[in-house]
Amino acid sequence: EAEVAQSPRYKITEKSQAVAFWCDPISGHATLYWYRQILGQGPELLVQFQDESVVDDSQLPKDRFSAERLKGVDSTLKIQPAELGDSAMYLCASSLAFSGGAQNEQFFGPGTRLTVL
Amino acid sequence: RKEVEQDPGPFNVPEGATVAFNCTYSNSASQSFFWYRQDCRKEPKLLMSVYSSGNEDGRFTAQLNRASQYISLLIRDSKLSDSATYLCVVNGRSYIPTFGRGTSLIVHP
């Protein structure tokens, strides 16, 4: 069964350091999403890609966060510098497309749990 | 008002009970709707899509009420293994998804 891959699974860093997360979506999925999830809350969309183009990044803190999907396949999310409040689970998901119906169904990777000390 | 709202619970029910969750949304132009299940410290997994005509999958039934702007999830004959957090997702303009905060369900013997 095809899966979304993410690495690393866990990351501990000190504040002001740079961190990067990697995501490889299910093959053939054009749409890729990065979410941040704080314990007890639902996932919050940070950025949505359609192929290599950004569809929405309105909730991405652009002063410190960046995301790219250069060839329209895998993607990297970077935080520089990390702050204490960035401690959370970072989830990547993919879907066939972002039109209606089943093409919207998202499949999630296992996530990267970030702890900033 | 938040875009997508859910009662966080927890809903504490005995095995075999029927339980229902609602999820309200504020954007009347929302395009598509889903329910996800999330176990503790795991990633969300798709439970079911919500169609205008309703959708049933075994013990689970999802419905959409566009007039009142909410979706519902009904679980019949609850099992211990149904204990989890149930997240609703509403896709709005340009199919950009918004998650609710989730409803916690605890099924006890």
Side-chain angles (χ1 to χ4, degrees):
Chain A
E1 182 176 296
E3 295 180 341
V4 176
Q6 285 189 251
S7 66
R9 294 290 306 277
Y10 303 91
K11 179 70 177 178
I12 300 174
T13 191
E14 294 184 345
K15 64 181 182 179
S16 79
Q17 296 298 304
V19 292
F21 312 132
W22 176 79
C23 172
D24 192 13
I26 292 172
S27 178
H29 279 197
T31 307
L32 185 147
Y33 313 79
W34 281 103
Y35 292 90
R36 175 172 58 188
Q37 186 174 25
I38 297 167
L39 201 61
Q41 301 292 321
E44 173 194 18
L45 181 68
L46 294 175
V47 61
Q48 178 178 343
F49 289 94
Q50 173 71 12
D51 299 311
E52 66 277 7
S53 300
V54 173
V55 173
D56 183 81
D57 63 357
S58 57
Q59 301 302 310
L60 189 70
K62 297 181 187 64
D63 57 335
R64 298 185 300 108
F65 286 63
S66 64
E68 60 183 16
R69 193 184 184 198
L70 292 176
K71 297 183 179 179
V73 181
D74 60 338
S75 175
T76 302
L77 177 70
K78 296 179 181 177
I79 308 174
Q80 182 172 17
E83 296 181 352
L84 296 177
D86 296 332
S87 294
M89 174 76 89
Y90 290 82
L91 293 161
C92 178
S94 69
S95 65
L96 277 170
F98 69 103
S99 54
Q103 295 189 79
N104 260 164
E105 293 174 354
Q106 296 180 57
F107 297 87
F108 282 82
T112 297
R113 186 168 296 282
L114 173 67
T115 302
V116 182
L117 302 175
Chain B
R1 181 183 174 187
K2 290 184 179 178
E3 286 188 55
V4 179
E5 294 200 63
Q6 292 184 256
D7 180 346
F11 285 62
N12 203 321
V13 303
E15 273 186 291
T18 295
V19 62
F21 311 133
N22 282 346
C23 169
T24 59
Y25 60 94
S26 61
N27 184 355
S28 60
S30 294
Q31 308 276 7
S32 52
F33 311 85
F34 304 89
W35 283 102
Y36 282 76
R37 171 196 168 122
Q38 187 172 29
D39 293 299
C40 188
R41 296 187 170 268
K42 298 284 190 178
E43 73 272 23
K45 292 188 185 295
L46 179 68
L47 182 63
M48 58 200 312
S49 302
V50 187
Y51 304 125
S52 297
S53 56
N55 190 19
E56 185 172 323
D57 183 5
R59 298 181 294 108
F60 298 83
T61 300
Q63 296 204 317
L64 166 63
N65 186 316
R66 283 196 181 272
S68 300
Q69 294 182 201
Y70 73 88
I71 62 172
S72 63
L73 178 68
L74 180 77
I75 306 175
R76 291 180 297 275
D77 189 22
S78 298
K79 311 292 184 189
L80 295 177
S81 58
D82 294 334
S83 298
T85 296
Y86 291 84
L87 298 157
C88 69
V89 185
V90 176
N91 285 7
R93 167 187 64 83
S94 299
Y95 296 96
I96 295 169
T98 301
F99 276 78
R101 66 175 295 179
T103 296
S104 175
L105 172 65
I106 300 170
V107 182
H108 59 82

